[in-house]
Amino acid sequence: MATNQIFKKSSLNGKVTVFLGKRDFLDYLTHVDPIDGVVLVDPQCVKDQKKIYIQVLGAFRYGREDLDIIGLSFRKDLFSATIQAYPPVVEQQKPLTALQERLLGVLGPNAYPFFFEIPPNTPSSVTLQQTPGEDGKPCGVDYQLKTHLAESLDEKPEKLTTVRMAIRKLTYAPSDVRAPPPRGEIKKNGIKLEASLGKEKYYHGESVLVHIGIDNTSSKTIKKIKLNVVQKTMVTLHVLCEEEQEIKIPDINMQEGFPIRAGQTGFMKTYFLTPLLENNRDKRGLALDGKLKHEDTNLACSTKMSECLQKENAGIIVSYKVVIKLVLGFGTNDIILELPFTLTHPMPDTPSTRTNSYRSSVADDPIIPSEDMIDDDLVFQEFNRAPIAEPESFKDPIPEENNEK
């Protein structure tokens, strides 16, 4: 019998519990996985004209958290949506997904479904890595789902019946796009450098194949070669800034066949470079796929710009390139060639739909129809993710860490 993992989180008083089938939602460039879940509420909480509101908000933090308390806001809201889960609003009701059908059958009449569609013109979750031991919330783009009870949307939320859950929006590379392998050539002072990559798109954990060809018809000696994978991050909000960081690639022997003497031609070699976060955890400012305290992550995926996503609204744009450098020695300029490539996750085989959107995790294929879920076991896991920084519109007097117990 199959099992389906369900993530849940309860309010401080245990009267409100939110259930989600996943925490990572995929952007296919044309549409985004819907956020579908169920909220279970103690009927005593809603007997006095109380309503259940659920909000999704994406925001970009670009400054130090401690400066917020002196009146300077370093967050910009990028996306916000609110629905009323109870009493249900006819205009907001959507067809039940497979996950919702199953959960409503298990949880009973005090459970209410909710459904959000995030537009594809919103940025993906990206976090700029902090140094080990650094305090405060990291800069980057983050998303959260908030559920609270109130008599009206403008009323201050009740702290004991509020639930916040951090979620991620991730972009996967389209599987039907086959770009030609990057290649380049440079000739300088009698030295010819040719380079190409095995392909344009690489998945996390794969080795980037770099094919090198060198002809040295000059009077100089090429002392050595250096190959680096470089991550470029461009922050497009508030103040435009760019930064490039080399990704550490350990245990690579690059000096076999060097030096290349004057008049030596026909050098050819293939190098394998594997960019991994585990070798770069000390690099401050490195872009990651929504770094979270209780979960590991990976280097940020290359940003894929859809037609409806404007550059100034992308938050953080991430790109990668291989930099090849021939070192000629003191007094002579090095020869440098750069080849861009895409680093991403593989696209799942079957995209989600509104009526069949359940997937227990990012890596799961295929989508499970509702009729096949009837006999499956639902495994409920407490949602113990570290809290993300709270926008002004979400704040209430209770310290946020108290809501993570």
Side-chain angles (χ1 to χ4, degrees), residues 285-317:
L286 198 65
L288 313 177
D289 267 348
K291 173 63 177 174
L292 301 160
K293 289 184 179 179
H294 295 295
E295 289 187 5
D296 202 1
T297 184
N298 45 256
L299 297 172
C301 295
S302 300
T303 303
K304 307 302 292 186
M305 300 294 293
S306 61
E307 295 181 357
C308 54
L309 176 58
Q310 298 180 352
K311 184 176 181 180
E312 58 269 21
N313 294 328
I316 299 177
I317 297 177

Side-chain angles (χ1 to χ4, degrees), residues 39 46 49-56 81-94 112-116 146-154:
V39 55
V46 293
Q49 305 298 319
K50 295 291 185 181
K51 300 179 176 64
I52 304 172
Y53 293 104
I54 303 178
Q55 297 174 291
V56 174
T82 303
I83 65 168
Q84 179 180 304
Y86 176 87
V89 178
V90 175
E91 293 78 8
Q92 296 178 348
Q93 290 182 322
K94 305 291 183 180
Y112 307 98
F114 59 85
F115 189 98
F116 290 93
K146 177 186 176 182
T147 303
H148 71 278
L149 272 61
E151 292 185 4
S152 68
L153 189 58
D154 296 331

Side-chain angles (χ1 to χ4, degrees), residues 162-236:
T162 297
V163 181
R164 299 184 186 92
M165 306 173 78
I167 58 178
R168 296 194 301 181
K169 175 179 177 285
L170 303 178
T171 301
Y172 279 34
S175 57
D176 57 345
V177 176
R178 296 186 178 275
R183 61 180 63 249
E185 177 182 310
I186 184 171
K187 296 179 180 179
K188 185 177 180 181
N189 299 327
I191 298 176
K192 178 182 177 182
L193 169 63
E194 295 179 294
S196 64
L197 304 184
K199 54 184 179 179
E200 192 276 335
K201 180 172 60 182
Y202 286 91
Y203 300 135
H204 292 287
E206 276 192 298
S207 293
V208 180
L209 275 64
V210 186
H211 306 291
I212 300 293
I214 301 173
D215 291 329
N216 183 10
T217 58
S218 72
S219 59
K220 300 184 179 296
T221 297
I222 304 174
K223 293 189 173 182
K224 58 183 178 180
I225 187 172
K226 292 183 178 180
L227 288 88
N228 292 302
V229 174
V230 174
Q231 180 195 79
K232 179 180 178 180
T233 56
M234 177 187 298
V235 179
T236 63

